[in-house]
């Protein structure tokens, strides 16, 4: 289809596709590590699963970003949904390390495919409607808030379902016995997420209208992807501001890896059982995603109060670093006061990351053209995934206590310090890309 969407419709569809993609992943957050534990996996093995996820995503980030820039956004998003459908089903039903690791790797592949196309589609649509100088931060902030809301809802539901199955007639035990332990109560949220992925695929294919692209053979696609990928790699090397965006993404990846690996066990230790630990972790994660959504919603205001998007990123990442360091400081202590401080730190981490994201991406989108936009977002996600994988492996072998938390806190603090000195005003035009990465759209802009 070639008709242009109005800005309100484009924003609504961007929000909807973001919710449908992230809701299934939210459903898996609370039960995932506890499900691995119930299947008999040690923490070192679980860390390996997460490393498989991150490294697969990292390996595929640039090729899949280039694929989106060459063949279109919606087909790549649909492929991401199908991969996640397979991954969630496999992880929910498998009990061997090989199959569980394969499921996490497929989930990483889905993450790589999804890391840029939806946002790139939204920015393309807005700029086709209003020109290259169109205001982006508000729409990006609403998309980030929608993602946080989907993750919060999914996490809360994913943590509550296994616990609810254990109430009353103990449906969870009956379910496990009826399926010969194939489906555990902790498996149910992942299987529900797999069902939601079907709706995501159908919506992406029918709602995300794009200008027609030149018909390309497989040979054409494979030929154009390397040029697009090399342009994305060169982008961080030649642009100091983009380089800081990428390094900040890596700092965020380190923080998220520490939180995702350490919080479930800490919650289960407080409650004394996996199912009740999942409920507590789900409540914490839900609160964290709500804080992230609030931070994203406040991102435009934060940028105005700070005086620029760059200063807003510095303040936001500094807030996150303080929260993670607070989590580390309370890891060795028990008591109500320590729990309150830890919960406060947890909220600050997500509040700051939520506020930083829209400003970082607003700066990034003003440096790239449409023909390399998904690739640039994939480079950003690549930085996050690589550092997350490294941090996860480090955290998995460190002794329990404050030290594993402080690894992520130190990385976030370093990310905030990158923005202390400004590189100068952001230019209103994007950095030119190679001709091989640019194909004209009907209105003359680059797609």
């Amino acid at each position: 289809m070639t008709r242009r969407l109005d800005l309100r419709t484009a924003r609504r569809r961007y929000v909807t596709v973001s919710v449908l993609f992230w809701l299934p992943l939210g459903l898996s957050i609370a039960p995932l590590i506890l499900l691995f534990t119930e299947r008999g996996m040690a923490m070192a093995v679980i860390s390996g699963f997460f490393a498989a996820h991150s490294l697969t995503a990292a390996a595929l980030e640039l090729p899949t970003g280039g694929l989106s820039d060459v063949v279109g956004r919606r087909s790549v998003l649909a492929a991401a949904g199908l991969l996640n459908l397979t991954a969630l089903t496999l992880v929910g039903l498998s009990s061997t390390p090989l199959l569980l690791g394969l499921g996490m790797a497929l989930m990483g592949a889905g993450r790589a495919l999804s890391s840029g196309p939806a946002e790139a589609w939204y920015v393309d649509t807005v700029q086709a409607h209003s020109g290259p100088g169109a205001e982006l931060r508000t729409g990006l902030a609403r998309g980030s808030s929608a993602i946080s809301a989907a993750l919060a809802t999914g996490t809360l539901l994913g943590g509550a379902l296994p616990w609810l199955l254990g109430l009353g007639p103990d449906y969870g035990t009956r379910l496990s016995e009826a399926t010969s332990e194939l489906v555990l109560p902790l498996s149910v949220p992942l299987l529900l997420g797999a069902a939601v992925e079907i709706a995501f695929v159908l919506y992406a294919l029918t709602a995300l209208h794009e200008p027609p692209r030149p018909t390309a053979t497989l040979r054409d696609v494979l030929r154009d992807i390397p040029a697009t990928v090399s342009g994305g790699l060169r982008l961080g090397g030649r642009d100091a501001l983009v380089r800081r965006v990428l390094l900040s993404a890596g700092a965020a990846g380190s923080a998220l890896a520490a939180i995702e690996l350490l919080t479930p066990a800490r919650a289960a230790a407080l409650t004394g059982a996996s199912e009740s630990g999942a409920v507590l972790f789900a409540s914490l994660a839900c609160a964290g995603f709500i804080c992230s959504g609030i931070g994203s919603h406040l991102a435009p205001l934060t940028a105005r109060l700070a005086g620029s998007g760059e200063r807003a990123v510095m303040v936001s990442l500094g807030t996150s670093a303080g929260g993670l360091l607070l989590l580390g400081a309370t890891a060795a202590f028990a008591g109500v006061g320590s729990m309150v401080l830890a919960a406060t730190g947890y909220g600050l981490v997500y509040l700051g990351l939520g506020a930083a994201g829209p400003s970082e991406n607003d700066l990034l989108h003003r440096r790239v053209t449409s023909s390399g936009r998904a690739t640039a977002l994939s480079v950003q996600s690549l930085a996050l995934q690589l550092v997350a994988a490294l941090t996860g492996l480090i955290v998995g072998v460190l002794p329990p206590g404050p030290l594993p938390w402080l690894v992520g806190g130190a990385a976030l603090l370093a990310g905030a310090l990158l923005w202390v000195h400004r590189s100068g005003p952001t230019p209103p035009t994007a950095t030119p890309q190679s001709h091989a990465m640019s194909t004209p759209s009907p209105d003359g802009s680059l797609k």
Side-chain angles (χ1 to χ4, degrees), residues 119 123 136 140 361-368 373 377:
E119 185 172 321
V123 176
L136 301 174
L140 295 175
N361 284 19
D362 179 75
L363 293 168
L364 180 64
H365 286 304
R366 298 187 188 282
R367 298 284 191 170
V368 299
R373 180 160 289 123
L377 291 169

Side-chain angles (χ1 to χ4, degrees), residues 127-191:
Q127 291 188 344
H129 186 279
S130 303
E135 196 276 330
L136 301 174
R137 187 180 286 116
T138 299
L140 295 175
R142 292 191 182 180
S144 295
S145 296
I147 291 171
S148 297
L151 287 170
T153 303
T155 302
L156 194 60
L157 184 58
L161 276 176
W163 178 71
L164 290 173
L165 288 171
L167 297 179
D170 199 358
Y171 294 113
T173 300
R174 295 183 180 182
L175 178 64
S176 299
E177 292 175 350
T179 59
S180 301
E181 304 295 326
L182 183 66
V183 179
L184 301 178
L186 291 166
S187 304
V188 173
L190 281 77
L191 300 178

Side-chain angles (χ1 to χ4, degrees), residues 53-410:
H53 172 280
S54 295
L55 293 174
T56 302
L60 297 177
E61 280 291 358
L62 294 181
T64 54
L67 183 66
S68 172
D69 286 329
V70 172
V71 305
R73 318 301 190 196
R74 60 181 174 182
S75 57
V76 173
L77 279 173
L82 292 174
L83 281 174
N84 279 340
L85 167 62
T86 304
L88 289 169
T89 304
L90 197 57
V91 173
L93 298 179
S94 302
S95 58
T96 65
L98 179 61
L99 291 177
L100 291 172
L102 176 60
M104 291 296 287
L106 289 175
M107 201 178 295
R111 171 67 182 271
L113 282 166
S114 70
S115 63
E119 185 172 321
W121 174 86
Y122 172 71
V123 176
D124 288 347
T125 304
V126 170
Q127 291 188 344
H129 186 279
S130 303
E135 196 276 330
L136 301 174
R137 187 180 286 116
T138 299
L140 295 175
R142 292 191 182 180
S144 295
S145 296
I147 291 171
S148 297
L151 287 170
T153 303
T155 302
L156 194 60
L157 184 58
L161 276 176
W163 178 71
L164 290 173
L165 288 171
L167 297 179
D170 199 358
Y171 294 113
T173 300
R174 295 183 180 182
L175 178 64
S176 299
E177 292 175 350
T179 59
S180 301
E181 304 295 326
L182 183 66
V183 179
L184 301 178
L186 291 166
S187 304
V188 173
L190 281 77
L191 300 178
L192 177 61
V196 177
E197 290 289 358
I198 298 173
F200 165 77
V201 171
L202 294 176
Y203 188 84
L205 290 174
T206 57
L208 302 188
H209 303 145
E210 297 182 279
R213 296 173 184 266
T215 302
T217 65
L218 178 61
R219 183 177 179 180
D220 295 331
V221 171
L222 294 177
R223 184 191 63 226
D224 288 346
I225 287 175
T228 306
V229 168
S230 64
L233 288 172
R234 290 195 303 270
L235 181 64
R238 67 173 177 250
D239 192 313
L241 188 144
V242 172
R243 189 160 55 248
R244 280 189 278 170
V245 171
L246 300 181
L247 291 172
S248 298
S254 180
L256 291 172
I259 283 186
E260 290 173 3
L261 280 171
L262 298 172
T263 306
R266 194 166 173 177
L270 285 172
T271 62
S274 295
E275 285 77 8
S276 55
V279 174
L280 176 58
F281 174 56
S283 301
L284 281 172
C286 179
F289 291 131
I290 289 173
C291 289
S292 179
I294 292 172
S296 297
H297 185 74
L298 295 176
L301 176 62
T302 303
R304 288 196 297 271
L305 293 177
S308 71
E310 297 180 46
R311 291 195 183 100
V313 174
M314 180 186 67
V315 172
S316 300
L317 292 181
T319 300
S320 289
L324 200 48
L325 292 173
L326 187 59
L327 273 167
T330 58
F333 301 98
V336 176
S338 177
M339 291 176 60
V340 171
L341 289 175
T344 301
Y346 192 91
L348 287 175
V349 172
Y350 281 93
L351 181 71
L353 291 178
S359 290
E360 289 176 355
N361 284 19
D362 179 75
L363 293 168
L364 180 64
H365 286 304
R366 298 187 188 282
R367 298 284 191 170
V368 299
T369 61
S370 173
S371 59
R373 180 160 289 123
T375 302
L377 291 169
S378 290
V379 176
Q380 183 186 30
S381 183
L382 172 64
L384 186 148
Q385 295 291 341
L386 283 176
V387 179
L390 178 61
T391 302
L393 293 174
I394 294 172
V395 165
V397 299
L398 288 175
L403 188 57
W405 298 93
L406 297 180
V407 171

